[in-house]
Amino acid sequence: MVTSKEQSWVDSVFNSLTPDQRLGQLFMVAAYSNKNEKHFQQIDTLVGRYGVGGIMFMQGGPVRQARLTNRFQSQAKVPMLIALDAEWGLNMRLDSSMHFAKQMTLGALTDDKYVYLMGREIALKMKRLGVHVSFSPVLDVNVNPDNPVIGNRSFGETKEEVARRGVAYIKGLQDHGVIAVAKHFPGHGDTDTDSHLALPVINHDMKRLTEVELYPFYKSFEAGVMGVMVAHLHMPKIDSTRNQAATLSKPLVTGLLKEKMKYKGLVFTDALNMKGVSSYYKPGEVDLKALLAGNDVLLFPEDVPTAVRKIKEAIAAKQIKTDEIDLRVRKILHAKYWAGLNNYKPVVLTNLQEEVDRPLSNLVQEQLYEHAVTVARNKGNLIPFRNLDTLSIASVAIGAGPNNVFQQTLGNYAPVSKFNIKDRFAPDTAFTRLFTKLQDHDVVVVSIHGMNNTPFRDFGIGVGTRAFIQFLQERTDKKVIVAVMGNAYSLKFFDKSSWLVAGYEDNEVAQSLVPQVLFGARSAKGKLPVTVSAALKAGTGVTTPTLSRLRYGTPESVGMDSKTLAQIDNIAREAIAYAATPGAQVMVVKNGTVIYNKAYGHYTYDKAKPVTNNTVYDIASITKVAATLQAVMFLKDQGKINLDEKVATYLPELKGTNKANLVIRDVLTHQSGLRAGIPHWQKTLDKLQLNQTFYASAQNDVFPNEVVPGIYSIKSMEDSLWAWTVRSPLLTRSKGAKTYEYQYSDLGFYILKRMSEKLLNQPLNEFMDQNFYGPLGLSTMTYNPLLKHPREVIAPTEDDNYFRKNLIWGTVHDQGAAMMGGVGGHAGLFSNANDLAILMQMNLQNGNYGGHKYFNNNVVVEFSKKQFSNSRRGLGWDKPDLEGNGPTSNMASASTFGHTGFTGTGAWVDPENKLIYIFLSNRVYPDAGNSKLVKYNIRTRIHDVIYKSIVPKT
């Protein structure tokens, strides 16, 4: 319904225009914000002199476009409609802009609400940029797999699916103030010619058109789509005029669209500079023919002055009536009113880029790809990968260089051997060289990247790529998962695969989500939107289960605010600037999703090597909870220990010593009377030099334990440390006290390690590898990392000038653990933030992770509870101090548990908020006396920011 206010505005504006100015309203010219001033002045002329009714922006950038929009609008007598081709987001035309998803990706979704949300986000960005018209969605039913121009721009091959998703997209746009233009009428889905280059011919009759191609348009009309774009197609069975494009066909535009289908909205031509029409008519002539055919808006005219002259001549020759033109001008003015141009305001340039880059858009983008990922084949339900310690996985990324997101994400879940063939058309030798390297792997994930959308070019997949995959599948016993990161039609090359996944596109979001599906962090939900071969029909798609592994996603996906979290950057950089630490890793997990994972600074202050998310840190006393405590909880879960029993019950050698009455619960809570620590290393020096009784410079059977490279301790060293620990004096009890006061102690974890190893009948490091770290897929968490990793991935710690006389790099910083060959109950573990977060997430989930139960009972809940009124400690776990001076944020819940480490590390789990915070650094480089991390409260201030970023539930 047209209100009286709207009609009054339209009448007023219309009556104020001269006949020539009315003609100007019919034109929508092309402008480029990446061109020069000469081009801009040409647009100025078209706006000022010819009064064009609209501008379609092509290439450029958001801020530049907004400036030009204001410039051009300021010269317009009537505010212009600003349009953009933004089928998959602003980045279809603009740099520095978000790519959401191609329509074929959307066609894989089983829930149209995400299509609506994409439409909403695109509309909100457009509105902020001063854009009123989006030339989307594409409603072409892509029934021809060889279509070179539509292809993955279509929702799919089924008219109902195309219509449903198209309507969702239209509503998303128009509900948020942007005019949607459905295209390419009457249907561009069954052509093998690109209309940008030539005039495609479609030989369908009216019956076929009605049954297939027109169906989505009918549905869009019912939904109220405000615009339709007519295609450059020749349809001889509808209009037999030779080389007559639909755009220029009165039987199609007026007869079919306006009269038979009763469409009342704005009718746009496709761009009039395209070869499908410009090859047959000169500029000006083509515009007139398009107008005579019945179009309302003449898009991308190449010569407006000539076109105006031709139209005026046609009016004089009575080829077209002035009343018909006036009616179309009024339609355009009504559209302008709907778009808010009756109350035009310039685009506000302040904070423009920031406000266009809405964080919620990242969430929608993530949701689109998550729901699109399609597992087309899954023999034996191999996907998702389950028993990670039994799989040897390799990744071959074809068409992508090293450090791509796909392989990085795979590596977050398990140790993965990574290989790259950057050139998709590499010679056979590039592929054959890999066969020997893949020999020891039983699972090979082959991902295909950098594809194109051209069917006659095989979508950019080389013959060598196909032969390589076929060889692996047919000539080896390997399980080969093929992940196609591109056009769905290319799956036809791999339709004999036992394991086949479609990622649809090759951006970082898609590259992150496909590996998450492979490892069961997310479920595969998508269905193929098109038939790619006789074996892979539209609708194919296996739903896979989730295994409660860590996901990687956006803060907004779990109710956190990106902008608040960004404050972490400032605190981390402050720590580095003030030399509190040369570098750090920060990770935040909320509701099982990693929403922040960043590396800062360098290994050392000379800035020679930057920290990455793969850098491995000495996590110091976090070893207590990440190794020894896990073993103790395992023993409790298995009923092998009683926490209120004396340690001597399980370690009889303590009987008859001052440690005979130590109770396990008291040891775990640091109130058993044990001293804080003993500098055992000092006993092994002779006049400040290493005593040769204990150390040698060459490794052999007598001196097997590496302290640092070039220093090896005697085989009996651990027995010596144990004897010294057992003989150590206890603290003095307060007069009349029945229990000891709290005293944080490393010695308790010497004892708990010894007890655990005896009960497990296995060294602690081996037990943890076999029962926790291996099954969890932890690739960096380990004792003695130099046995598994090159030194270059490990951050150095102290430049020790008093004991080892070395820069400690790749071996444990703690002296006691180093003396024992790197494996201590209190120290010795190394890890990156990701692996530590996985272990903490398993604890948060009470031992359930990756489809495996590490604990059968709620031992983590039991151990993480505060035990005594005079101490904040749980059993082994540290906890917040309710007085407000503890190691956590004061906003952490009382259920929070975790630990810190001497080297500048921290790991905190908040079950109430389902939150994990990991901070790793080497603040002890080069001097362990550096206390600035605590002085400037770096770790807890970051923890505060994390809590502040949680958006309150409404």
Side-chain angles (χ1 to χ4, degrees):
M1 286 290 293
V2 176
T3 65
S4 58
K5 186 178 178 183
E6 177 179 342
Q7 191 60 56
S8 175
W9 184 83
V10 169
D11 290 343
S12 172
V13 173
F14 181 83
N15 292 331
S16 73
L17 299 175
T18 66
D20 280 5
Q21 289 170 336
R22 291 172 190 171
L23 290 182
Q25 291 296 302
L26 303 172
F27 294 93
M28 182 172 273
V29 299
Y32 298 75
S33 61
N34 65 348
K35 287 194 175 182
N36 58 23
E37 180 62 24
K38 180 181 177 182
H39 168 70
F40 304 154
Q41 289 175 7
Q42 290 170 348
I43 305 300
D44 288 338
T45 301
L46 293 172
V47 174
R49 186 179 302 173
Y50 293 95
V52 294
I55 291 177
M56 174 180 68
F57 274 101
M58 301 296 282
Q59 287 79 16
V63 177
R64 286 170 289 162
Q65 177 175 309
R67 286 198 182 101
L68 285 177
T69 297
N70 288 347
R71 169 174 168 169
F72 298 147
Q73 290 281 32
S74 70
Q75 300 172 58
K77 178 176 172 63
V78 181
M80 295 176 290
L81 284 172
I82 306 298
L84 201 64
D85 247 334
E87 293 167 22
W88 51 82
L90 303 189
N91 95 315
M92 184 171 175
R93 290 291 178 252
L94 304 181
D95 59 28
S96 312
S97 301
M98 175 170 285
H99 174 109
F100 282 91
K102 300 279 182 76
Q103 288 189 193
M104 191 164 287
T105 306
L106 304 181
L109 308 179
T110 56
D111 190 339
D112 297 334
K113 79 175 181 183
Y114 299 106
V115 182
Y116 176 89
L117 292 174
M118 178 177 127
R120 179 195 71 182
E121 288 301 310
I122 291 173
L124 293 173
K125 292 174 187 292
M126 286 182 146
K127 290 284 283 184
R128 183 63 184 86
L129 271 181
V131 177
H132 317 102
V133 180
S134 179
F135 292 130
S136 60
V138 173
L139 292 187
D140 302 320
V141 183
N142 203 75
V143 293
N144 187 341
D146 295 325
N147 194 325
V149 64
I150 302 303
N152 68 351
R153 294 169 65 195
S154 165
F155 289 114
E157 68 178 29
T158 311
K159 64 181 183 182
E160 293 86 359
E161 299 290 327
V162 170
R164 227 180 54 238
R165 288 172 177 77
V167 167
Y169 194 166
I170 288 162
K171 289 182 176 178
L173 289 170
Q174 293 188 174
D175 286 355
H176 297 88
V178 168
I179 295 168
V181 179
K183 62 187 187 185
H184 305 84
F185 182 87
H188 210 316
D190 193 10
T191 176
D192 56 8
T193 303
D194 185 346
S195 54
H196 293 86
L197 308 175
L199 182 63
V201 178
I202 296 182
N203 281 303
H204 296 323
D205 59 17
M206 197 62 212
K207 181 175 182 294
R208 157 60 194 261
L209 284 177
T210 303
E211 287 176 353
V212 180
E213 279 79 6
L214 296 181
Y215 180 86
F217 289 98
Y218 271 117
K219 290 298 179 183
S220 74
F221 300 167
E222 290 173 9
V225 69
M226 293 182 68
V228 170
M229 179 181 285
V230 184
H232 299 324
L233 301 166
H234 180 42
M235 309 193 79
K237 292 189 178 176
I238 309 299
D239 185 343
S240 59
T241 308
R242 190 161 184 254
N243 294 328
Q244 183 81 300
T247 336
L248 312 182
S249 168
K250 191 164 186 176
L252 275 159
V253 179
T254 299
L256 176 58
L257 177 59
K258 288 187 166 183
E259 294 175 354
K260 185 172 181 181
M261 298 181 73
K262 296 182 170 56
Y263 182 63
K264 303 300 181 187
L266 280 180
V267 180
F268 292 77
T269 68
D270 205 339
L272 294 175
N273 69 327
M274 290 167 61
K275 297 299 182 184
V277 289
S278 65
S279 296
Y280 304 100
Y281 301 97
K282 294 177 181 177
E285 291 179 1
V286 72
D287 307 73
L288 172 59
K289 287 193 69 69
L291 190 67
L292 294 175
N295 294 283
D296 301 318
V297 181
L298 307 176
L299 185 64
F300 211 140
E302 292 188 279
D303 188 343
V304 172
T306 301
V308 169
R309 180 169 55 80
K310 292 280 186 184
I311 294 169
K312 289 166 76 173
E313 289 172 359
I315 294 170
K318 299 187 178 177
Q319 291 178 273
I320 187 169
K321 294 179 181 177
T322 304
D323 290 350
E324 290 181 48
I325 292 174
D326 290 350
L327 185 63
R328 295 179 206 182
V329 173
R330 285 181 175 275
K331 281 174 70 176
I332 292 167
L333 293 176
H334 278 290
K336 291 186 175 186
Y337 184 93
W338 185 93
L341 289 173
N342 59 309
N343 187 28
Y344 165 76
K345 292 177 183 175
V347 180
V348 176
L349 299 178
T350 307
N351 298 326
L352 176 64
Q353 187 71 55
E354 181 184 346
E355 291 173 16
V356 167
D357 296 338
R358 290 164 43 83
L360 275 174
S361 295
N362 297 319
L363 169 58
V364 172
Q365 181 191 42
E366 177 186 303
Q367 290 170 329
L368 296 174
Y369 289 100
E370 176 185 3
H371 288 264
V373 175
T374 303
V375 174
R377 290 278 176 74
N378 190 19
K379 181 181 177 183
N381 296 321
L382 174 65
I383 302 169
F385 305 144
R386 287 173 171 81
N387 301 312
L388 300 183
D389 53 336
T390 68
L391 299 177
S392 177
I393 303 172
S395 162
V396 180
I398 301 171
N403 302 317
N404 61 80
V405 171
F406 188 95
Q407 290 183 309
Q408 287 174 13
T409 308
L410 287 175
N412 287 340
Y413 289 104
V416 175
S417 299
K418 299 166 188 172
F419 307 98
N420 301 83
I421 299 177
K422 193 169 184 180
D423 180 3
R424 289 172 289 118
F425 302 97
D428 291 346
T429 53
F431 294 96
T432 54
R433 275 198 298 266
L434 286 182
F435 290 135
T436 53
K437 296 177 181 178
L438 297 173
Q439 235 168 10
D440 296 331
H441 300 86
D442 43 31
V443 174
V444 180
V445 179
V446 182
S447 54
I448 305 172
H449 304 268
M451 296 165 55
N452 62 45
N453 293 304
T454 310
F456 70 86
R457 290 181 179 164
D458 293 341
F459 305 100
I461 301 176
V463 174
T465 295
R466 284 176 265 165
F468 170 71
I469 292 170
Q470 186 176 357
F471 183 93
L472 286 176
Q473 291 171 332
E474 296 178 1
R475 306 283 291 278
T476 74
D477 58 356
K478 302 187 186 312
K479 298 178 175 70
V480 182
I481 292 92
V482 180
V484 180
M485 305 303 295
N487 195 299
Y489 284 115
S490 68
L491 268 65
K492 68 182 181 181
F493 298 125
F494 312 108
D495 63 356
K496 292 183 173 61
S497 298
S498 297
W499 299 277
L500 182 60
V501 183
Y504 297 99
E505 302 190 46
D506 196 30
N507 53 58
E508 290 189 357
V509 180
Q511 285 192 26
S512 167
L513 286 162
V514 171
Q516 293 186 54
V517 168
L518 295 181
F519 281 94
R522 299 179 191 260
S523 169
K525 308 176 185 74
K527 306 291 181 186
L528 289 181
V530 290
T531 296
V532 301
S533 72
L536 293 172
K537 302 282 191 183
T540 298
V542 179
T543 302
T544 60
T546 56
L547 299 177
S548 301
R549 289 197 176 108
L550 282 184
R551 297 178 297 276
Y552 296 81
T554 61
E556 281 68 23
S557 71
V558 291
M560 298 183 80
D561 180 66
S562 301
K563 292 180 180 177
T564 305
L565 279 171
Q567 296 171 25
I568 293 173
D569 287 351
N570 298 331
I571 300 171
R573 289 172 185 143
E574 175 191 325
I576 294 164
Y578 289 152
T581 179
Q585 290 174 350
V586 178
M587 179 175 274
V588 182
V589 184
K590 179 79 165 73
N591 299 351
T593 301
V594 176
I595 50 88
Y596 197 93
N597 185 21
K598 291 188 79 168
Y600 299 92
H602 296 79
Y603 282 36
T604 57
Y605 290 107
D606 62 9
K607 300 183 179 181
K609 187 172 178 59
V611 176
T612 73
N613 289 336
N614 297 318
T615 300
V616 177
Y617 281 94
D618 179 339
I619 60 174
S621 281
I622 293 178
T623 303
K624 294 181 173 73
V625 296
T628 309
L629 188 63
Q630 302 297 310
V632 172
M633 289 192 293
F634 176 87
L635 291 167
K636 173 66 169 63
D637 186 59
Q638 297 291 315
K640 300 286 180 67
I641 59 172
N642 180 339
L643 298 180
D644 295 308
E645 189 62 78
K646 293 175 181 178
V647 180
T649 304
Y650 309 105
L651 283 178
E653 65 252 51
L654 293 181
K655 292 177 180 178
T657 73
N658 64 353
K659 312 294 187 301
N661 293 319
L662 297 184
V663 174
I664 295 174
R665 188 180 300 275
D666 292 338
V667 174
L668 285 166
T669 51
H670 298 274
Q671 50 188 65
S672 63
L674 293 169
R675 293 181 177 272
I678 303 170
H680 292 314
W681 61 275
Q682 292 179 356
K683 295 185 176 69
T684 66
L685 299 185
D686 181 13
K687 297 179 181 178
L688 302 180
Q689 299 298 316
L690 297 177
N691 188 325
Q692 292 185 9
T693 302
F694 296 104
Y695 302 102
S697 58
Q699 192 172 29
N700 54 45
D701 291 344
V702 179
F703 295 92
N705 306 313
E706 185 177 67
V707 180
V708 292
I711 301 175
Y712 304 90
S713 69
I714 194 165
K715 188 174 185 179
S716 60
M717 180 65 85
E718 186 166 0
D719 291 334
S720 297
L721 266 64
W722 175 246
W724 296 334
T725 299
V726 170
R727 290 201 297 266
S728 65
L730 295 174
L731 298 171
T732 303
R733 278 199 193 108
S734 300
K735 191 173 181 180
K738 294 181 180 180
T739 59
Y740 289 97
E741 291 183 2
Y742 166 77
Q743 173 63 65
Y744 178 76
S745 173
D746 282 349
L747 299 183
F749 281 80
Y750 280 79
I751 293 167
L752 291 170
K753 172 179 180 283
R754 184 91 167 190
M755 179 193 79
S756 298
E757 289 181 331
K758 180 167 185 180
L759 293 172
L760 294 167
N761 195 32
Q762 191 175 18
L764 178 65
N765 57 321
E766 292 180 11
F767 172 79
M768 291 304 298
D769 277 343
Q770 291 172 17
N771 294 276
F772 287 87
Y773 306 154
L776 284 167
L778 309 186
S779 56
T780 66
M781 184 172 283
T782 185
Y783 287 98
N784 291 318
L786 290 176
L787 297 177
K788 296 181 180 179
H789 305 291
R791 193 173 74 158
E792 288 69 33
V793 304
I794 305 166
T797 53
E798 187 178 14
D799 192 356
D800 179 351
N801 58 11
Y802 50 88
F803 170 38
R804 289 157 284 194
K805 310 290 176 67
N806 264 289
L807 172 63
I808 311 304
W809 191 359
T811 55
V812 62
H813 175 261
D814 181 88
Q815 298 91 342
M819 292 162 70
M820 293 187 285
V823 182
H826 63 296
L829 263 189
F830 286 70
S831 183
N832 68 357
N834 184 78
D835 281 359
L836 184 52
I838 289 173
L839 183 73
M840 293 298 115
Q841 185 69 29
M842 180 272 287
N843 280 266
L844 176 58
Q845 293 170 184
N846 287 310
N848 293 304
Y849 192 87
H852 187 82
K853 289 193 77 172
Y854 294 85
F855 305 121
N856 294 312
N857 304 295
N858 288 336
V859 289
V860 180
V861 174
E862 178 184 355
F863 274 62
S864 62
K865 285 179 181 174
K866 179 179 161 77
Q867 297 294 305
F868 300 107
S869 59
N870 64 335
S871 166
R872 69 177 188 245
R873 291 271 172 172
L875 294 167
W877 297 106
D878 199 357
K879 292 183 67 62
D881 189 330
L882 300 182
E883 300 297 319
N885 297 311
T888 69
S889 166
N890 292 338
M891 290 175 269
S893 75
S895 63
T896 297
F897 60 92
H899 216 280
T900 55
F902 181 78
T903 50
T905 58
W908 294 103
V909 180
D910 182 342
E912 187 175 313
N913 289 294
K914 296 181 181 176
L915 186 70
I916 295 171
Y917 162 44
I918 308 293
F919 181 95
L920 301 184
S921 78
N922 56 335
R923 65 101 194 160
V924 294
Y925 174 87
D927 179 6
N930 178 5
S931 61
K932 293 176 183 176
L933 206 65
V934 173
K935 178 181 177 181
Y936 298 126
N937 216 15
I938 299 298
R939 287 174 288 191
T940 48
R941 283 167 58 204
I942 290 175
H943 211 185
D944 286 342
V945 169
I946 293 166
Y947 279 100
K948 289 173 183 175
S949 75
I950 298 174
V951 179
K953 292 180 180 177
T954 54

